[in-house]
């Protein structure tokens, strides 16, 4: 059983926007770190905060239902099965562990909007007292290159949770 790290909180401020996008038929793809992954043997940090793909999906659905009360449970089930895609990052296309047995983790955060703009950086979606800077690229050509060289190969290498 996976237990989230003590003191970690959900980034609930962002969930209504993601849930609203789902209800509008937007495909949402997420690749999350494996629960409790410690890339490179890092001792002090644990990526993923212990949350599973099911945990993340459940919180998104809860927020979507709360901010879109006109959507029935049956409709939400159909929306989620059609438009919400969440998986763990993999070290290879068939394995979520590195050869040393550690779960694969990823510190970067990526957001792609309508395939015309993207953000990449380390900024977490929850409150944390760190000064982390990312970059926003508001350029369709740069975003297409980013997707071709980073996002699409990563997404094609992952397996559903």
């Amino acid at each position: 059983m996976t237990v989230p790290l003590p003191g970690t909180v959900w980034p609930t401020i962002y969930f209504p926007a993601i849930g609203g996008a789902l209800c509008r038929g937007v495909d949402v793809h997420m690749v999350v770190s494996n629960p409790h992954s410690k890339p490179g043997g890092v001792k002090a940090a644990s990526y993923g905060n212990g949350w599973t793909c099911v945990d993340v999906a459940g919180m998104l659905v809860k927020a979507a239902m709360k901010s879109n009360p006109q959507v029935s449970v049956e409709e939400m089930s159909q929306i989620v099965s059609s438009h919400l895609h969440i998986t763990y990052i993999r070290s290879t296309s068939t394995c979520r562990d590195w050869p040393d047995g550690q779960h694969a983790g990823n510190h970067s955060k990526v957001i792609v909007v309508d395939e015309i703009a993207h953000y990449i950086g380390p900024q977490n979606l929850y409150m944390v007292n760190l000064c982390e800077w990312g970059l926003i690229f508001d350029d369709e050509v740069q975003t297409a290159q980013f997707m071709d060289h980073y996002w699409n190969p990563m997404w094609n290498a992952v397996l559903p949770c």
Side-chain angles (χ1 to χ4, degrees):
M1 180 171 137
T2 301
V3 178
L5 295 175
T8 58
V9 297
W10 288 98
T12 54
I13 193 170
Y14 301 101
F15 282 13
I18 297 169
L22 284 169
C23 289
R24 291 190 310 275
V26 173
D27 285 320
V28 175
H29 294 78
M30 294 182 166
V31 177
V32 298
S33 287
N34 293 281
H36 302 297
S37 57
K38 296 187 179 197
V42 171
K43 303 283 187 237
S46 176
Y47 295 171
N49 290 331
W51 297 328
T52 66
C53 292
V54 172
D55 295 332
V56 175
M59 288 301 292
L60 285 169
V61 169
K62 183 178 175 181
M65 292 295 297
K66 185 176 181 181
S67 60
N68 298 278
Q70 75 282 3
V71 177
S72 71
V73 172
E74 294 79 19
E75 289 172 307
M76 183 58 68
S77 177
Q78 186 176 22
I79 289 167
V80 167
S81 65
S82 298
H83 298 290
L84 182 59
H85 315 278
I86 304 176
T87 189
Y88 297 119
I89 192 166
R90 307 277 178 179
S91 59
T92 68
S93 63
T94 59
C95 185
R96 63 181 220 178
D97 295 337
W98 295 111
D100 66 1
Q102 294 291 318
H103 291 316
N106 183 13
H107 186 62
S108 67
K109 282 59 169 194
V110 172
I111 299 169
V112 179
V113 180
D114 293 334
E115 298 183 5
I116 59 172
H118 68 283
Y119 162 88
I120 185 166
Q123 184 61 52
N124 294 298
L125 293 180
Y126 51 87
M127 296 302 291
V128 64
N129 193 20
L130 300 172
C131 183
E132 299 180 303
W133 301 95
L135 298 171
I136 297 173
F137 297 85
D138 188 8
D139 182 274
E140 191 170 352
V141 172
Q142 290 295 319
T143 299
Q145 289 177 354
F146 174 77
M147 291 186 69
D148 286 345
H149 295 285
Y150 179 83
W151 179 261
N152 292 336
M154 179 179 61
W155 186 258
N156 291 333
V158 298
L159 300 172
C161 287

